[in-house]
Amino acid sequence: MDARDSTSNRDVSSSGGSGTTTGVGGGEEDPILSVTATLAKDAWLHFNSRRFNECLEVLYQLKQKKEDDPKIATLEENNQLMTPPENQMATLEDNNHLITTPEYQLATLEENNQLITTPEYQMETFEENNHSMPAPETQPNKRRKRKSMVWEHFTIETVSADSRRAFCKQCKQSFAYSTGSKVAGTSHLKRHIAKGTCLALLRNQGNQQTPGTPGMNGNGSMSDPPRRHYRSHSSAYISFDSDRCRPEIARMMIIHDYPLHMVEHSGFVTFLKTLEPRFDMVSFNIVQGDCVSSYLREKQNVMKFIEGLPGRVCLTLDVWTSSQSLGYVFITGHFIDGYWKPQRRILNVVMEPNPNSDAALSHAVATCLSDWSLEGKLFSITFNHPVGEPGLQNLRSLLSVKNPLIINGQLILGNCSARTLSNFAKEVLWAGREIIKKVRYSVKYVKTSEFHEQKFLELKEQLQVPSEKDLSLDNQAQWNTTYQMLVAASELKEVFSCLDTSDPDYKEAPSMEDWKRVDILCTYLKPLFDAANFLASRTNPNQKTFFHEVWKMHELYHSITSHGDPFVISLAEIMQEKIDKYLKECILSLAIAVVLDPRFRMKLIEFSFVKFYGKEASKYIKIVDDALHELFLEYAALPFPLTPAHAEDGNFENMKTEEISYNELTDFDAYVETTSQNKKSELEQYLEESLLPRFQEMDVLKWWEENKLQYPVLSTMARDILTMQVSTADPDSVFDTEIKELDEYRSSLRPETVEALVCAKDWLQYRSATEVSNALVKVEDLRS
């Protein structure tokens, strides 16, 4: 029997098959509902889904208008068409009706073997139910694309003039498809795949499953074929590609610092197999190679970025140790990009078998210069490892060959200020080690017992001590925690003294003389703490900003009076000697950076040097002034601009020959600028101008960017000088008292793998941040 005949036997309403719609009253006909229902039925039977949906919408609107009628439930009880959308599916499915919500039409019609489908599936449904249709040769323009997933496993081949057969791609077995105008459908083809009768497919896939392939039940036999999942225009079928997953696994390992051996852990293997049975598991060697490949790809991007930099590069060398007594030199490059924004990238991690040797740092620097082609572009090096004079000489010799020295290399080398501050703090703590032991014991006595702590708080309340600080034990690996412990204990010294007399178990309490020395220790540690906290609170501290912290330390250490106390005299001598030595090593770079701040220029140097050096201040002021003018002349003699003009705009791609050429007379213009007797140089003009107001958060780099046309040479020099770093430490390690140590797992890896993992993680994080920043810029551009 024709399917439409069977369909026509099912009236849209359930009122005796009359094709009419019963009114709300039960016996009266509603003509509008009757006509609409008849039109809906006719549209459904003639495959006019658009007309049917229109009729269904009219029926629903009529239903909505009668919601206040108490007899509205009669329609649902009599299986009428007019039901709200949320109830249509349940009512029609229960009564085997055709009218369903669109998202369920396919499933309902497939279960009831109806012909009526949404338009994109009509052709396939016709084939499955053996309906006659014109051959593709007669109507090529009306032939729709085959949607059935069975065609992923079969191909259609013509075997004679009026016969075509479907051939399995796996076993090559053929099946009837069409003879003349008759189409065999696809049900028998599905059974060949879904029932497991294709042995070739089973052999190729083993225990893996594909869409349309059944699973194995617990007895090893084939389970029921899964219900077919139809594809819509909104979600296309995506085939699984194991090779696409490997780069993502490597990226995951890099970003989250997961151990590479995790891919071989049984739990991880089981999880991935459950998630996707077809995934080919990778070994440690494979994921290690993928991580190195990812590192090499990212390295090309970073290298291209560095090649287009408009200025020079400053390096910081952070030396780590390991349990095998090997050294790892983390080399980070700092620079200003074409948008005048400070940037940093980890460039190398170089393993040094003998990190304390005189040649260790020079070997690491040589590796970096060669690896990144930085010969001629290096401006300064800052390191955190103690280097003797032979080691410094090796570095100077290397740089004199590989890099043009600025003002005879006076700015090329510098010690890490964070490490210097830690050494100063360790000297102070060592001088008061016996007193600190007593304080640590007292704090431990109170904090490790609830009873003792409660008693301590009661005494504090009785004595009305105003301190709001909480006691806490220190972490001796970070000196700031010891300082904070001393400060808190010193403010509560009256409570500790009272506890000594009221609690017989409390022993080794500090004496009043000890508490006085605790105050002295805190006085010496406070400027160190403030300076280190300054470094820790900034992501890119430079020489200019650190000058003020050094000035405060110098002022304090030279102003403390001893009052005849041998302890204070000894400590003062040690700290004064150390701060004077530090100033001698770094004062030139600190001072030149301050001069290039338009809020201070040379005025702050003249003022502070009088306090630093007293009567000899003029001599040191002249040293800074002469070095500044010599540096300016060296920059004025360089080809100008230093790099192609496109680099100033941050455009490092699509470089053309005509874009990198510049006027041959530019050097002549720079010469006239600096040698003219009637016109002052840029530097002299800048120094004679009045100071800008001292805004606390002024962006000095932004000022130089805005004034680069007025000071073309001086702005180029300022960009490089303001790139110099005073610290190699990350903010979380500024207070460390010991050198960092590589963990056991990374120490077990090859040096090349360690470098790939560390560098790639750094680059991927910056790339993600850059992508977000670029997206925000585009949004702002669209808004504007």
Side-chain angles (χ1 to χ4, degrees):
M1 180 175 63
D2 186 75
R4 276 180 294 180
D5 293 336
S6 64
T7 304
S8 63
N9 290 334
R10 299 176 183 174
D11 291 337
V12 179
S13 71
S14 59
S15 57
S18 64
T20 63
T21 306
T22 304
V24 176
E28 298 178 1
E29 278 192 359
D30 188 331
I32 298 178
L33 295 178
S34 178
V35 171
T36 305
T38 303
L39 291 174
K41 176 180 177 180
D42 182 69
W44 190 267
L45 294 175
H46 289 83
F47 315 116
N48 191 337
S49 61
R50 182 180 64 83
R51 176 65 58 84
F52 172 76
N53 290 332
E54 292 174 354
C55 295
L56 190 61
E57 180 65 24
V58 172
L59 291 174
Y60 176 63
Q61 292 176 1
L62 290 173
K63 175 65 175 176
Q64 291 293 102
K65 292 180 180 178
K66 296 186 178 184
E67 284 184 350
D68 57 345
D69 197 315
K71 298 179 182 181
I72 198 67
T74 308
L75 295 175
E76 297 181 4
E77 295 173 359
N78 293 288
N79 292 331
Q80 300 300 325
L81 283 176
M82 292 181 296
T83 59
E86 61 270 18
N87 295 330
Q88 286 181 7
M89 186 63 226
T91 303
L92 297 177
E93 186 177 16
D94 293 341
N95 295 280
N96 219 8
H97 285 280
L98 292 175
I99 305 173
T100 63
T101 51
E103 58 268 23
Y104 291 104
Q105 287 179 6
L106 286 177
T108 303
L109 296 177
E110 183 181 24
E111 292 174 358
N112 294 284
N113 204 20
Q114 303 297 327
L115 288 174
I116 304 168
T117 63
T118 52
E120 58 268 31
Y121 294 105
Q122 288 179 8
M123 179 59 68
E124 182 182 351
T125 309
F126 294 158
E127 296 175 359
E128 294 180 358
N129 293 279
N130 294 327
H131 287 287
S132 299
M133 292 188 61
E137 292 82 357
T138 61
Q139 291 185 352
N141 58 332
K142 294 184 179 180
R143 180 69 178 176
R144 294 184 179 273
K145 182 179 178 181
R146 298 184 182 92
K147 300 291 185 178
S148 177
M149 296 175 69
V150 78
W151 300 118
E152 296 177 10
H153 303 280
F154 287 89
T155 58
I156 302 300
E157 298 182 13
T158 302
V159 296
S160 64
D162 59 347
S163 177
R164 294 186 300 165
R165 296 185 67 82
F167 286 84
C168 177
K169 295 180 180 180
Q170 302 291 335
C171 65
K172 307 305 181 184
Q173 185 177 351
S174 66
F175 299 85
Y177 177 68
S178 67
T179 303
S181 60
K182 298 289 185 178
V183 180
T186 60
S187 298
H188 60 306
L189 304 181
K190 291 180 183 178
R191 288 192 294 271
H192 177 70
I193 298 299
K195 292 296 184 180
T197 56
C198 181
L199 300 180
L201 180 63
L202 293 177
R203 285 195 302 269
N204 291 340
Q205 294 183 342
N207 294 328
Q208 299 174 358
Q209 300 181 20
T210 60
T213 303
M216 301 290 292
N217 60 27
N219 299 325
S221 60
M222 301 302 295
S223 61
D224 294 335
R227 183 171 177 172
R228 172 179 168 186
H229 297 283
Y230 292 90
R231 290 165 291 160
S232 63
H233 294 292
S234 61
S235 59
Y237 176 75
I238 302 176
S239 61
F240 174 76
D241 186 359
S242 179
D243 291 337
R244 293 178 58 187
C245 298
R246 284 175 48 185
E248 292 303 319
I249 290 181
R251 180 186 177 91
M252 176 185 71
M253 296 291 177
I254 292 171
I255 292 178
H256 299 290
D257 292 326
Y258 292 144
L260 302 186
H261 285 89
M262 189 179 77
V263 296
E264 297 178 346
H265 294 172
S266 58
F268 185 72
V269 172
T270 303
F271 168 72
L272 285 186
K273 281 296 184 181
T274 304
L275 191 66
E276 178 49 69
R278 291 171 292 170
F279 179 69
D280 294 329
M281 296 308 302
V282 295
S283 64
F284 165 80
N285 289 332
I286 291 177
V287 75
Q288 179 179 238
D290 291 342
C291 289
V292 173
S293 298
S294 178
Y295 156 76
L296 293 176
R297 285 193 303 270
E298 294 298 325
K299 185 176 182 178
Q300 296 301 315
N301 298 329
V302 178
M303 186 170 290
K304 186 177 181 181
F305 179 63
I306 291 179
E307 287 175 354
L309 289 176
R312 297 177 183 269
V313 178
C314 296
L315 299 180
T316 57
L317 277 59
D318 193 10
V319 182
W320 292 34
T321 186
S322 67
S323 57
Q324 293 90 355
S325 300
L326 300 176
Y328 290 84
V329 184
F330 287 65
I331 304 178
T332 304
H334 302 262
F335 41 83
I336 307 297
D337 64 15
Y339 299 102
W340 287 78
K341 300 296 182 183
Q343 301 282 349
R344 64 182 296 274
R345 299 290 187 276
I346 298 179
L347 302 181
N348 293 94
V349 179
V350 183
M351 191 272 287
E352 292 293 340
N354 301 304
N356 295 320
S357 66
D358 295 332
L361 292 187
S362 59
H363 171 261
V365 172
T367 300
C368 181
L369 295 179
S370 175
D371 203 16
W372 295 93
S373 302
L374 292 179
E375 292 87 349
K377 299 191 69 174
L378 183 63
F379 188 79
S380 72
I381 299 175
T382 305
F383 46 85
N384 71 338
H385 196 64
V387 181
E389 188 58 36
L392 293 176
Q393 188 59 39
N394 288 337
L395 278 171
R396 291 193 181 97
S397 300
L398 169 69
L399 298 176
S400 64
V401 176
K402 299 287 186 179
N403 198 75
L405 296 179
I406 301 296
I407 54 175
N408 297 321
Q410 296 181 65
L411 303 179
I412 199 68
L413 301 174
N415 288 310
C416 171
S417 296
R419 178 61 56 190
T420 301
L421 294 176
S422 293
N423 291 335
F424 287 1
K426 288 165 66 176
E427 287 285 349
V428 175
L429 296 176
W430 177 255
R433 59 190 179 278
E434 296 300 329
I435 302 173
I436 294 174
K437 284 182 181 180
K438 294 181 180 180
V439 174
R440 186 178 293 120
Y441 164 78
S442 298
V443 174
K444 184 178 180 180
Y445 180 83
V446 172
K447 297 299 292 184
T448 55
S449 170
E450 293 185 6
F451 175 76
H452 294 163
E453 186 172 14
Q454 182 63 30
K455 188 173 184 179
F456 185 86
L457 294 176
E458 291 174 357
L459 289 174
K460 176 184 175 183
E461 186 175 354
Q462 292 174 7
L463 296 172
Q464 297 182 352
V465 177
S467 176
E468 297 296 331
K469 295 187 180 297
D470 294 326
L471 292 176
S472 61
L473 277 172
D474 63 331
N475 174 10
Q476 298 183 51
Q478 292 192 312
W479 64 266
N480 62 312
T481 61
T482 305
Y483 166 72
Q484 291 167 339
M485 179 187 71
L486 294 176
V487 170
S490 178
E491 292 188 6
L492 297 169
K493 59 185 174 226
E494 295 178 4
V495 185
F496 280 109
S497 298
C498 186
L499 183 66
D500 184 25
T501 59
S502 62
D503 188 349
D505 294 330
Y506 176 46
K507 303 174 182 179
E508 300 185 20
S511 63
M512 293 308 298
E513 186 67 23
D514 290 335
W515 287 117
K516 290 181 181 179
R517 294 189 175 183
V518 167
D519 291 338
I520 294 295
L521 294 176
C522 291
T523 301
Y524 275 94
L525 288 173
K526 187 180 187 309
L528 301 177
F529 176 79
D530 292 341
N533 203 43
F534 172 84
L535 296 178
S537 62
R538 283 162 172 76
T539 57
N540 195 39
N542 53 41
Q543 305 280 352
K544 168 186 70 64
T545 55
F546 196 65
F547 177 84
H548 309 284
E549 304 301 323
V550 176
W551 181 11
K552 289 190 293 185
M553 284 190 293
H554 184 275
E555 283 289 289
L556 178 66
Y557 292 159
H558 282 271
S559 63
I560 296 178
T561 57
S562 64
H563 301 292
D565 187 341
F567 175 79
V568 178
I569 294 175
S570 174
L571 188 58
E573 290 177 353
I574 294 174
M575 299 309 296
Q576 289 173 8
E577 180 183 354
K578 284 188 172 295
I579 193 65
D580 290 343
K581 181 181 179 182
Y582 178 70
L583 272 176
K584 183 178 179 181
E585 294 174 349
C586 69
I587 190 62
L588 183 60
S589 59
L590 291 174
I592 290 178
V594 170
V595 172
L596 294 175
D597 188 330
R599 297 170 295 177
F600 303 113
R601 308 181 198 254
M602 279 294 293
K603 298 299 182 181
L604 182 61
I605 300 302
E606 295 167 357
F607 175 76
S608 59
F609 274 29
V610 172
K611 296 181 176 295
F612 284 166
Y613 303 108
K615 296 179 180 180
E616 296 183 346
S618 58
K619 180 179 70 173
Y620 291 100
I621 292 173
K622 186 176 185 303
I623 292 175
V624 174
D625 186 70
D626 291 346
L628 196 62
H629 281 78
E630 182 182 351
L631 185 62
F632 176 76
L633 291 176
E634 290 186 14
Y635 268 86
L638 293 173
F640 185 76
L642 186 61
T643 56
H646 66 84
E648 283 285 342
D649 299 327
N651 182 15
F652 306 127
E653 300 180 358
N654 303 323
M655 297 168 59
K656 298 181 180 180
T657 304
E658 57 268 24
E659 292 177 344
I660 64 175
S661 62
Y662 57 88
N663 193 337
E664 291 81 359
L665 295 179
T666 304
D667 291 340
F668 172 73
D669 295 335
Y671 172 77
V672 172
E673 174 74 20
T674 56
T675 58
S676 175
Q677 298 296 326
N678 298 324
K679 186 177 180 181
K680 295 181 180 179
S681 68
E682 290 179 25
L683 179 59
E684 291 172 342
Q685 292 179 40
Y686 169 77
L687 294 178
E688 291 179 0
E689 288 186 0
S690 58
L691 303 181
L692 296 182
R694 292 195 304 275
F695 296 115
Q696 186 174 1
E697 296 299 330
M698 176 184 177
D699 189 344
V700 178
L701 275 176
K702 184 69 175 177
W703 188 89
W704 281 108
E705 179 189 13
E706 294 170 349
N707 291 272
K708 63 183 179 182
L709 297 180
Q710 181 181 357
Y711 305 109
V713 176
L714 198 59
S715 63
T716 302
M717 186 177 80
R719 179 174 50 202
D720 292 341
I721 290 176
L722 296 179
T723 310
M724 297 173 63
Q725 301 297 302
V726 296
S727 174
T728 68
D730 295 328
D732 59 348
S733 60
V734 167
F735 297 98
D736 290 353
T737 57
E738 301 295 337
I739 191 171
K740 283 187 175 181
E741 182 173 337
L742 206 64
D743 60 75
E744 290 288 343
Y745 179 76
R746 288 197 172 182
S747 299
S748 66
L749 300 175
R750 295 185 304 173
E752 298 82 2
T753 304
V754 175
E755 181 178 53
L757 293 175
V758 173
C759 293
K761 178 182 179 179
D762 180 74
W763 301 339
L764 289 172
Q765 289 176 338
Y766 277 101
R767 190 182 71 172
S768 300
T770 303
E771 290 172 353
V772 172
S773 177
N774 292 339
L776 294 176
V777 170
K778 291 180 180 178
V779 170
E780 291 298 327
D781 292 342
L782 291 174
R783 290 178 178 175
S784 61

